[in-house]
Amino acid sequence: MEEEAKGGVKNVLLAKFKEGTSESQIDQLIQGYANLVNLIDPMKSFHWGNKLSIEKQLEGYTHVFETTFESVEGVAEYTAHPAHLDFANLFLPNLEQLSFSSTADQQVITKKNPSEIQVMMMELLPDPKDQS
C-alpha cells in the first residue's frame, strides 16, 4: 500500500467523554493510551489534543487521538494485543460517542455506542494468527 510506504497506517479517533468523567480520570485514560506505545511494538506514535474544528465540536467531540502503526498487520496485532484489550475495557466505557477512521482503507466508522467500535475493529482487521 502506498500509505504504508510513506510511514505507516494512521488511525484517528474522535471522542466525547461521558458527562461526569472527571478531568483526573480523563488524564489517566490519556496517559494509559499514550503508554500503549511502550507496550505494543507495531504502534509507532500517539498524539492527542482537544482543539477540534468547529464542525467536530458541534458534533459533540471533545478530544482527538491519532496513532500510527508500521502496517495494516501491525494494526491487527495492536488490536488483538492484551494490553490494548485491557486499555479498551477501561477507555470505552467512559465515552459517550466516538468516530474512528483509518488511512489504511479510508473507511470512516462512526458510532454513538463505543463498545461497537471494538467489535468492528476486530472484524475489519486481519487476524494476526492468519498472517503466517
Side-chain angles (χ1 to χ4, degrees):
M1 281 187 172
E2 187 176 325
E3 192 66 38
E4 289 180 44
K6 290 182 180 177
V9 177
K10 289 197 185 297
N11 290 339
V12 176
L13 183 102
L14 297 171
K16 176 183 182 183
F17 287 93
K18 286 182 179 176
E19 195 74 29
T21 306
S22 72
E23 286 301 318
S24 172
Q25 288 172 302
I26 292 171
D27 289 344
Q28 286 180 324
L29 290 167
I30 292 170
Q31 288 173 12
Y33 203 160
N35 190 49
L36 293 178
V37 172
N38 301 316
L39 303 174
I40 307 172
D41 192 49
M43 185 178 179
K44 297 303 178 192
S45 70
F46 171 82
H47 303 282
W48 75 276
N50 55 10
K51 306 276 191 256
L52 285 80
S53 69
I54 295 296
E55 295 84 7
K56 294 302 175 194
Q57 288 177 22
L58 290 174
E59 291 175 24
Y61 298 106
T62 58
H63 291 76
V64 60
F65 303 95
E66 179 189 82
T67 50
T68 304
F69 301 89
E70 60 192 19
S71 65
V72 172
E73 293 78 19
V75 176
E77 186 178 330
Y78 161 83
T79 301
H81 195 283
H84 172 256
L85 296 173
D86 289 345
F87 173 73
N89 287 330
L90 294 173
F91 186 72
L92 293 174
N94 288 287
L95 299 182
E96 184 174 317
Q97 72 184 54
L98 58 85
S99 174
F100 169 81
S101 64
S102 174
T103 58
D105 57 12
Q106 295 301 314
Q107 185 169 5
V108 176
I109 303 164
T110 303
K111 291 289 179 188
K112 301 252 183 215
N113 179 349
S115 62
E116 293 176 8
I117 285 291
Q118 186 69 20
V119 171
M120 279 186 144
M121 287 176 68
M122 296 301 284
E123 291 172 357
L124 287 173
L125 297 171
D127 187 334
K129 292 179 277 209
D130 295 339
Q131 302 297 314
S132 48

